[in-house]
């Protein structure tokens, strides 16, 4: 049975909603939703909830608990996989189920696999349809981290900056400043929840003493927290214990340092006492942790992406080395006019690729690819 375009559009909205239930939990896999339609009604739904767990199509078929009726349709947010991974190919499960019509919001982003799953289904005589450009764009964007990994073979490095209307990150360098209001901050928490790791420079740890957790309405979640600190200054005598090193998520904090940092025996000893793991990285000519080691460090840590929350110097290094792939730029209407206000390192008129714009109370977010 062919679905009408208005039903199809609502089924696509629903599979995207289902896919989002895996928000932050599916890495390194994509978020995927699927549903089964019989006689114009949804009869079963599924989503991919975590790597190693059943894929969305299989979840939906299992949820049905019987063979689909002849004429049933399957709607999926992403092209079904056609190769053996941790689970068997979903194309096999679909063919075995007897379903004759498959609607897919977008194709597999991996250039080596794109279209293959659809070709297999078509070769077996199934009706296969891909979403219109709008649906395709929404479904593709949802998995921007996964897509980047597939297309480049590298982790995705995202920068997040909150700027005042006159392009400053703080009213005074080295002091915490409230830049955005509650809606924008709630939005940042959702992005923190998506990324498996989060990163800041030592300057931000010293000035703001952040916790870097995702504080959501019904839950608090902690990503892997990375502090880039060439000399272990955040562990120096006289610096009080930072939240990242002492809170209940301290086991999820890693410090990235250089040989200069490791030479500071008292600071290394303090990290050991606190149970914080230190990772050694190459230093750049200025003696800092080389930003070029970032992709390798992330791969070593088994994370496919990082949400880098600054501050100014950390963001500047990543941006200038061309290592940042994605930017979240929050803009507040407030102005920081003090003589020591900290300028954003990102050019004011920078154009992002495929930008998305969101108004969040008085603040505005633009995010997109660098
Ligand atoms: N509005 C926002 O979005 C936002 C976000 C975060 C922070 N902030 C504000 O920004 C200020 C802190 O910014 P910041 O620039 O002083 O500190 P930062 O960027 O957090 O940290 C900079 C420090 O990180 C260390 N580092 C190690 N390797 C580095 C590398 N490759 N590149 C750059 N830094 C490296 C350096 O110290 P060592 O050489 O000692 O390692 C450097 O001084 C605070 O006022 C904070 O409130 C604003």
């Amino acid at each position: 049975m062919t679905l009408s375009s208005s039903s199809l559009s609502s089924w696509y909205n629903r599979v995207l909603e289902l896919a989002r239930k895996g928000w932050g939990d599916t890495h390194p896999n994509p978020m995927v939703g699927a549903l089964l339609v019989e006689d114009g009604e949804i009869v079963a739904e599924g989503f991919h909830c975590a790597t190693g767990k059943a894929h969305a199509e299989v979840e939906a078929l299992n949820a049905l608990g019987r063979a689909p009726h002849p004429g049933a349709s399957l709607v999926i947010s992403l092209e079904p996989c056609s190769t053996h991974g941790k689970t068997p190919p979903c194309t096999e499960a679909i063919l075995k189920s007897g379903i004759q019509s498959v609607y897919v919001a977008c194709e597999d982003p991996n250039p080596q696999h794109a279209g293959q799953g659809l070709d297999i289904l078509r070769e077996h005589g199934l009706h296969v349809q891909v979403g219109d450009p709008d649906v395709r764009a929404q479904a593709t964007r949802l998995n921007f981290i996964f897509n980047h990994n597939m297309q480049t073979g590298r982790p995705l490095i995202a920068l997040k900056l909150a700027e005042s209307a006159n392009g400053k990150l703080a009213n005074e360098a080295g002091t915490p400043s409230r830049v955005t209001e509650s809606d924008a901050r709630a939005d940042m928490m959702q992005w923190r929840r998506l990324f498996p790791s989060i990163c800041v420079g030592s300057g931000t740890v010293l000035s703001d003493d952040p916790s870097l957790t995702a504080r959501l309405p019904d839950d608090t979640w902690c990503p892997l927290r990375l502090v880039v600190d060439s000399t272990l200054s955040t562990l120096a005598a006289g610096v009080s214990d930072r939240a990242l090193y002492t809170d209940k998520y301290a086991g999820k904090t890693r410090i990235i340092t250089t040989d200069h940092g490791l030479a500071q025996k008292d600071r290394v000893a303090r990290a050991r006492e606190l149970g914080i793991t230190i990772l050694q990285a190459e230093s750049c000519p200025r003696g800092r942790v080389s930003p070029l080691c970032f992709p390798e460090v992330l791969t070593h840590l088994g994370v496919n992406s990082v949400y880098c929350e600054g501050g100014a110097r950390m963001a500047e290094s990543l941006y200038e080395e061309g290592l940042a792939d994605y930017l979240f730029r929050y803009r507040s209407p407030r102005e920081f006019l003090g003589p020591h206000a900290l300028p954003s390192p990102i050019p004011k008129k920078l154009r992002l690729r495929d930008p998305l714009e969101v108004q969040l109370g008085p603040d505005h977010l633009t995010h997109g690819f660098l």
Side-chain angles (χ1 to χ4, degrees), residues 162 169 174-175 201-204 207-208 230 289 309 311-314 317 342:
L169 297 185
T175 56
S202 57
T204 299
S207 64
D208 298 11
S230 325
V289 172
E309 293 221 12
R313 276 171 286 181
M314 202 57 240
S317 293
L342 180 66

Side-chain angles (χ1 to χ4, degrees), residues 141-153:
R141 192 53 168 267
L142 178 67
N143 287 311
F144 70 107
I145 296 175
F146 172 78
N147 300 348
H148 174 89
N149 300 154
M150 290 298 116
Q151 286 158 357
T152 66

Side-chain angles (χ1 to χ4, degrees), residues 2 7 11 20 30-31 33 56 90 97 136 149 172 204 208 210 233 239 294 305 319:
T2 311
S7 311
W11 303 150
R20 280 188 212 100
M31 291 172 259
C90 289
S97 75
R136 225 184 281 183
N149 300 154
E172 190 173 340
T204 299
D208 298 11
S233 56
V239 174
F294 252 65
S305 52
Y319 177 70

Side-chain angles (χ1 to χ4, degrees), residues 1-324:
M1 184 183 124
T2 311
L3 300 179
S4 75
S5 63
S6 66
S7 311
L8 196 48
S9 138
S10 80
W11 303 150
Y12 277 138
N13 284 340
R14 179 63 188 152
V15 283
L16 287 173
E17 220 171 80
L18 289 166
R20 280 188 212 100
K21 289 183 180 233
W23 190 258
D25 287 333
T26 63
H27 303 299
N29 287 350
M31 291 172 259
V32 189
L35 56 82
L36 283 159
V37 178
E38 290 178 348
D39 300 322
E41 298 294 331
I42 297 176
V43 288
E45 297 182 331
F47 68 98
H48 182 48
C49 64
T51 181
K53 296 277 168 82
H55 288 185
E57 306 84 320
V58 173
E59 282 285 320
L61 287 163
N62 289 346
L64 186 64
R66 57 167 170 80
H69 290 167
S73 299
L74 175 67
V75 185
I76 329 170
S77 62
L78 179 67
E79 173 176 354
C81 65
S82 54
T83 50
H84 276 273
K86 286 190 175 140
T87 55
C90 289
T91 44
E92 270 180 15
I94 296 169
L95 293 172
K96 217 167 124 198
S97 75
I99 283 168
Q100 287 300 309
S101 302
V102 178
Y103 296 83
V104 170
C106 71
E107 292 184 338
D108 187 325
N110 185 338
Q112 282 163 3
H113 293 170
Q116 276 178 30
L118 306 184
D119 288 346
I120 290 172
L121 299 179
R122 286 191 182 110
E123 280 157 19
H124 283 81
L126 275 68
H127 167 80
V128 176
Q129 191 174 316
V130 182
D132 64 29
D134 183 45
V135 167
R136 225 184 281 183
Q138 282 184 57
T140 304
R141 192 53 168 267
L142 178 67
N143 287 311
F144 70 107
I145 296 175
F146 172 78
N147 300 348
H148 174 89
N149 300 154
M150 290 298 116
Q151 286 158 357
T152 66
R154 286 187 289 106
L156 180 132
I157 299 180
L159 291 184
K160 173 239 123 180
L161 292 172
E163 298 174 349
S164 64
N166 59 332
K168 311 290 183 189
L169 297 185
N171 199 25
E172 190 173 340
T175 56
S177 301
R178 185 187 172 123
V179 184
T180 49
E181 298 303 322
S182 56
D183 288 358
R185 288 205 302 278
D187 185 69
M188 289 168 202
M189 293 298 156
Q190 293 294 340
W191 293 113
R192 282 184 179 181
R193 180 65 184 85
L194 176 65
F195 282 80
S197 71
I198 191 163
C199 166
V200 285
S202 57
T204 299
V205 175
L206 289 171
S207 64
D208 298 11
D209 193 12
S211 74
L212 305 181
T213 52
R215 294 178 294 282
L216 305 165
D218 49 3
D219 191 21
T220 295
W221 187 83
C222 186
L224 190 65
R225 305 182 294 188
L226 311 177
V227 177
V228 185
D229 184 353
S230 325
T231 59
L232 300 184
S233 56
T234 55
L235 292 161
V239 174
S240 60
D241 285 340
R242 304 284 92 183
L244 290 168
Y245 305 153
T246 50
D247 68 11
K248 66 175 179 172
Y249 305 108
K252 297 198 82 177
T253 303
R254 307 281 181 276
I255 304 177
I256 304 170
T257 194
T258 62
D259 48 355
H260 306 295
L262 292 177
Q264 304 275 349
K265 297 298 175 206
D266 52 334
R267 300 179 185 182
V268 173
R270 194 160 168 213
R272 201 171 296 128
E273 269 166 41
L274 293 165
I276 302 297
T277 304
I278 300 178
L279 304 170
Q280 183 179 3
E282 296 285 310
S283 53
C284 57
R286 294 173 71 181
R288 287 173 164 173
V289 172
S290 168
L292 298 173
C293 72
F294 252 65
E296 203 183 314
V297 170
L298 296 172
T299 304
H300 166 77
L301 291 168
V303 289
N304 66 356
S305 52
V306 65
Y307 188 60
C308 185
E309 293 221 12
R313 276 171 286 181
M314 202 57 240
E316 182 176 35
S317 293
L318 291 170
Y319 177 70
E320 285 190 346
E321 289 290 352
L323 287 163

